Each structure stands twice: as structure tokens, then as C-alpha cells.
Amino acid sequence: MRYYSISLLFFFFITLSNAQHHNSSTDKPSTHGMLIFGKEKIYASHLPMFRSPHNYQIILELELDSKTKQLFVADQEKNPDYNTYMIEPEKFVLPDMINNPKSFKVNLYRGHFERGGKKIASDVVITIKQVIFYKKFNPDEVKSATTNFIIFGNAKEQFMVHELTNKPDFEQILEVKTDLTTLIKNEKYSLINVNKSENSPIGVAGNDIQVNANGTNYSITLLKQLYLEFDDLK
């Protein structure tokens, strides 16, 4: 009986330890700045780094209240020379927020919120409507030798975000024009190859380019660059 009790206690301790390890995150709460873009639907791309707690590439569809969405869309239309908008969220543990989404407050900026951007709204509440792409960086992953992008969007607006692998790398976010009905079908996104010979940013000047996805070539028109970053990903 004593042996049985000790064995049962040991089993309970191991099970509890494993459950706590699985459900808890080692990341600390932090401010996770995000690029925000779109007018028909509102998207956000987490500003990644290759160190904790920012070592994630994440693309989200957000839900804003009608007043904030109208303000954001109107500001984009009034300031066509500004391609970059960002949100500065309150502090939270990023993977916990992704796994168990809840509403959180943000400040909305025209420009980079840490580099002289202009705040256009404070303490607005947003909600994660859906997670489009989620990846935690693996320091052992081999850096990509080709230029690959994550493409997503809706019938009216399409976007491409450079897929990151390992340092040094770069983040590039583009607004593009293409037919997503065949490119991503019923999926949230598709991975496309833009350059098979090197991993480098692509130029944007209304160019039409050919990309490859799953062995099929597609034509994409590059409209404008929303963001390009090297320093944070060294």
C-alpha cells in the first residue's frame, strides 16, 4: 500500500509538472509593436527580432471599432505619402495572446512609433480576428538562400511579407495586386518564391513580376512598399 501511494504521488507530480511546462511561456510581457495596414480589412505584422521575446513572425487580421477604423482609413487617404502605420500595444506575453486572444489597448501611429511617428489615436481597443501566419524562429534553422514571401489578403487588397528564417535577414512588406482565388484558394496565405538565386529585397515601382507557388507561375503587380527593415534583424 505504501509503495502504491508513493508511486501514485510521483505520477501526479510528473503529470502536473509536464502540464505546467506545456501551458506556460518563458517569455516576459513586452510591448510588441506591429505594422498595421489595409482599408477593406485591417492587418498587422509583428515587428520581429531574432531574440526573445520578439523572436516570432506573426501576421494577424484585426478587428477595430467602427470609429477607429474610419479614422485609420481616412488618415491613409489624406496622407498618401505615408506608407507606414504602426500600433504600440500594451504589454503582454505574445504567444499567450496568440493562443488565447483577447482585446487589448493600443496607440496608433502614422510612421514608426519608436522613430518619430505621429500618434493619431490613443488607447483604442482592438481584437485579433484571426491568425494568418505564426512562426517562432529556430536559431538552428538554415538561412534561406532564396527570396520567399507570404502572400495573403482579400479580393480588394493583397499584401506580401518577406518570410524570415535566420539572421541576418530583412523584413519587407509590400502592397501588391494579383488574383488570390487561384493563388491561395481557401487557405489563409500562400508561400511564394520571388528570387531563386539570392535572398534580397525586391524593388517596387509598379513592376509586374513572376512568382512561383507549388510549381505554378503567377503574375503579381507591385504597388508600393509599406516597410523595409534590416537593423532589427542583424
Side-chain angles (χ1 to χ4, degrees):
M1 178 66 69
R2 183 180 178 185
Y3 176 80
Y4 175 80
S5 299
I6 293 174
S7 299
L8 185 61
L9 182 62
F10 179 77
F11 175 79
F12 175 78
F13 175 78
I14 293 299
T15 303
L16 180 61
S17 298
N18 288 340
Q20 289 175 337
H21 177 75
H22 177 75
N23 293 328
S24 63
S25 172
T26 57
D27 292 344
K28 296 180 179 179
S30 184
T31 300
H32 292 282
M34 303 181 190
L35 197 83
I36 184 172
F37 47 95
K39 296 176 182 176
E40 181 72 14
K41 295 185 178 181
I42 307 300
Y43 301 101
S45 180
H46 172 244
L47 303 179
M49 299 180 182
F50 288 112
R51 63 177 186 271
S52 180
H54 304 290
N55 51 334
Y56 300 86
Q57 183 165 28
I58 299 174
I59 302 170
L60 307 170
E61 181 186 347
L62 301 179
E63 188 169 7
L64 283 64
D65 65 80
S66 58
K67 181 179 179 181
T68 303
K69 183 177 180 180
Q70 290 173 6
L71 181 151
F72 177 48
V73 171
D75 200 89
Q76 293 180 73
E77 293 174 346
K78 292 177 182 177
N79 298 277
D81 294 336
Y82 285 86
N83 293 336
T84 299
Y85 285 79
M86 289 190 181
I87 53 173
E88 177 191 22
E90 61 181 296
K91 290 185 178 182
F92 51 70
V93 177
L94 185 56
D96 291 352
M97 178 63 74
I98 298 302
N99 291 329
N100 299 287
K102 58 183 180 180
S103 298
F104 55 92
K105 292 182 179 180
V106 306
N107 296 324
L108 175 61
Y109 288 79
R110 183 193 316 126
H112 199 301
F113 77 101
E114 292 180 321
R115 301 173 188 172
K118 178 179 176 58
K119 186 187 296 186
I120 60 175
S122 300
D123 294 329
V124 297
V125 178
I126 65 172
T127 304
I128 297 173
K129 190 170 183 178
Q130 70 167 328
V131 179
I132 296 173
F133 184 87
Y134 179 94
K135 174 183 178 180
K136 182 175 183 179
F137 299 133
N138 178 359
D140 297 323
E141 182 178 5
V142 176
K143 181 184 175 183
S144 176
T146 62
T147 309
N148 303 307
F149 276 81
I150 306 152
I151 189 165
F152 59 96
N154 55 77
K156 292 188 176 181
E157 296 175 305
Q158 301 88 49
F159 302 94
M160 288 168 40
V161 176
H162 178 239
E163 183 191 21
L164 303 172
T165 50
N166 212 332
K167 62 182 180 182
D169 213 330
F170 66 93
E171 184 179 23
Q172 187 176 29
I173 301 177
L174 308 169
E175 184 175 355
V176 301
K177 188 66 178 177
T178 191
D179 181 9
L180 291 181
T181 55
T182 56
L183 186 51
I184 67 173
K185 297 182 179 179
N186 295 323
E187 303 298 325
K188 295 180 180 179
Y189 69 91
S190 182
L191 290 176
I192 59 175
N193 175 260
V194 174
N195 190 328
K196 295 182 179 180
S197 62
E198 62 178 350
N199 185 14
S200 62
I202 57 177
V204 183
N207 300 324
D208 288 342
I209 61 172
Q210 294 295 311
V211 304
N212 185 276
N214 299 317
T216 302
N217 291 326
Y218 298 90
S219 178
I220 293 178
T221 301
L222 306 177
L223 299 180
K224 61 182 178 181
Q225 179 173 275
L226 305 180
Y227 190 60
L228 180 62
E229 176 66 39
F230 292 93
D231 291 343
D232 286 346
L233 296 162
K234 291 181 177 179

